[in-house]
Amino acid sequence: MEMRIDKRALIERALGELKHAYAPYSGFRVAAALLCEDGTVYTGVNVENASYPAGNCAERTAVFKAVSEGQRRFLAIAVCGGMDGNVTDYCTPCGICRQVMREFADPERFLVIVAKSVDEYREYTLAQLLPESFGPDMLGR
Ligand code: THU
């Protein structure tokens, strides 16, 4: 069944989470709101660490929160970010996050919405951001 995606609502959720980003080292705050097939939304923020590589991106935080609560199918994610939480540009997901989303998304349908505000956003399918991707189907899953 096709579900209408309320992009503005998803972006609002992400923007509202920027205050929870933990980014004392880079100062670059990122937040994401992930829409599951059942309509549930999970948010995530970047969580940095004094041991820099131990930090986690906002998108992966959202995916891991959702999967750890039993979710497996996702429709869209809204992402926003900027220095000190000032969103002046589009923040597109890093390569690792694209691959993590690929595990649980239909690349041709899953929408990645990068937003500066509820009115100013761009959207891509995951397939556009991660072409010729490697996924669970390659392993017969
Ligand atoms: N970051 C994200 O959380 N998501 C992105 O899409 C890009 C980068 C975080 C990682 C790090 O905490 C900070 O932004 C600077 O790279």
Side-chain angles (χ1 to χ4, degrees):
M1 196 187 67
E2 206 63 39
M3 207 181 87
R4 207 184 72 82
I5 296 171
D6 188 343
K7 294 170 193 170
R8 289 178 70 97
L10 208 56
I11 293 166
E12 255 170 23
R13 287 292 299 272
L15 288 169
E17 287 300 312
L18 278 171
K19 59 180 179 292
H20 292 143
Y22 179 72
Y25 305 107
S26 72
F28 194 84
R29 290 170 172 268
V30 186
L34 177 69
L35 176 66
C36 304
E37 233 170 43
D38 71 357
T40 314
V41 174
Y42 287 82
T43 58
V45 295
N46 56 333
V47 182
E48 296 186 347
N49 193 280
S51 174
Y52 290 10
N56 203 50
C57 289
E59 298 90 324
R60 267 177 289 154
T61 302
V63 171
F64 295 155
K65 278 173 67 179
V67 173
S68 68
E69 296 205 4
Q71 300 284 353
R72 292 280 174 85
R73 299 298 305 168
F74 307 128
L75 295 177
I77 193 168
V79 184
C80 58
M83 220 50 196
D84 303 318
N86 299 313
V87 184
T88 54
D89 212 341
Y90 298 109
C91 177
T92 47
C94 81
I96 300 172
C97 289
R98 294 177 196 202
Q99 182 64 34
V100 167
M101 292 187 278
R102 168 68 175 88
E103 186 72 18
F104 303 101
D106 175 346
E108 298 293 341
R109 295 185 62 212
F110 182 82
L111 285 186
V112 178
I113 301 158
V114 292
K116 289 203 266 191
S117 70
V118 289
D119 296 312
E120 249 184 314
Y121 62 86
R122 291 181 182 163
E123 62 182 72
Y124 308 90
T125 63
L126 186 57
Q128 286 177 302
L129 296 183
L130 192 69
E132 308 297 341
S133 64
F134 186 87
D137 44 304
M138 301 292 214
L139 300 175
R141 299 286 164 163

